[in-house]
Amino acid sequence: MKKKIRKLNKVIVLTGILLCILAIFSNIIVDNVEMKDWGVDLIFGRGSILFYGIAILLSSWIIFLLFNNYFKKSSKEKLKIQYFLIGAFIWIIINIIFNMVLPIWQKSIRYSLIGNYSAIFLLAFTAYAIVKKNLFGIKIVLTALLVSLIALSILIDIFFLTPDLLAKLFKTLLLVVFLY
């Protein structure tokens, strides 16, 4: 089962890349751009509804995987993931409404910025989960990053800022002890 999911994930990534290439280098999804009094609007191409349909299917698969993973976790792990899922759910719903449904229904992207700005919900809930609930083990990652920066600073000091050989040897010993 896991092998099938890995293959499906590769298909999802390749499909996303293909859709991006089609959106950028062809007029299948966006046929033209038109100036309006409020800004720039898109004239959708023949494949825009198919594009949005595939985007909804890919998003649905990703949500399915998140929920499937969520139900396999312990109650402590579920609590960590809940905040991320709430933010993701709000973000996805707002994006579906303002970046998919309204543009197809009104044939205009006038309100798409609302969908783009909705990422603040995802960021806020994810930041809360990271800081308060230790999602992703961020404290360990930040500690490793800080140790790496200190070691790099000592290394730069040894090679570029310390002219005395005895001081270089002492700082090298200090670096080895620090890293150990």
Side-chain angles (χ1 to χ4, degrees):
M1 180 67 178
K2 286 186 179 184
K3 197 172 189 179
K4 287 181 183 179
I5 289 177
R6 282 191 204 133
K7 286 182 182 180
L8 192 55
N9 288 342
K10 288 179 184 177
V11 169
I12 288 172
V13 170
L14 291 175
T15 304
I17 291 170
L18 177 66
L19 289 176
C20 286
I21 291 170
L22 284 175
I24 293 170
F25 297 111
S26 76
N27 64 349
I28 293 173
I29 298 163
V30 176
D31 192 32
N32 204 353
V33 177
E34 187 176 273
M35 290 297 295
K36 300 280 186 170
D37 58 341
W38 53 266
V40 177
D41 203 4
L42 301 178
I43 298 174
F44 294 102
R46 302 179 308 275
S48 62
I49 292 176
L50 180 63
F51 173 79
Y52 283 123
I54 291 171
I56 288 172
L57 284 174
L58 294 178
S59 300
S60 299
W61 175 250
I62 292 168
I63 292 168
F64 168 76
L65 289 177
L66 280 172
F67 276 112
N68 191 28
N69 192 21
Y70 172 78
F71 290 114
K72 292 179 181 178
K73 298 288 184 182
S74 68
S75 59
K76 186 178 177 183
E77 291 294 316
K78 283 182 182 180
L79 185 61
K80 292 178 181 181
I81 297 172
Q82 281 176 352
Y83 293 102
F84 172 76
L85 288 176
I86 290 169
F89 183 73
I90 293 170
W91 176 67
I92 289 168
I93 294 300
I94 292 173
N95 267 290
I96 286 173
I97 292 169
F98 289 101
N99 289 354
M100 291 182 177
V101 174
L102 283 179
I104 290 173
W105 181 45
Q106 293 186 343
K107 306 267 190 253
S108 173
I109 62 164
R110 183 174 191 164
Y111 302 107
S112 66
L113 286 178
I114 296 170
N116 296 341
Y117 289 131
S118 69
I120 194 75
F121 291 108
L122 176 65
L123 294 173
F125 279 96
T126 303
Y128 180 81
I130 287 171
V131 172
K132 295 292 185 182
K133 302 298 180 185
N134 198 24
L135 183 67
F136 306 131
I138 197 70
K139 290 178 183 177
I140 295 169
V141 172
L142 289 176
T143 303
L145 182 65
L146 182 62
V147 167
S148 300
L149 287 174
I150 291 171
L152 184 63
S153 297
I154 294 171
L155 201 60
I156 289 171
D157 182 41
I158 291 169
F159 285 110
F160 300 110
L161 303 174
T162 306
D164 185 37
L165 181 63
L166 187 60
K168 281 186 178 190
L169 291 173
F170 177 72
K171 288 180 180 181
T172 304
L173 179 65
L174 180 71
L175 177 64
V176 169
V177 170
F178 174 75
L179 288 176
Y180 177 72

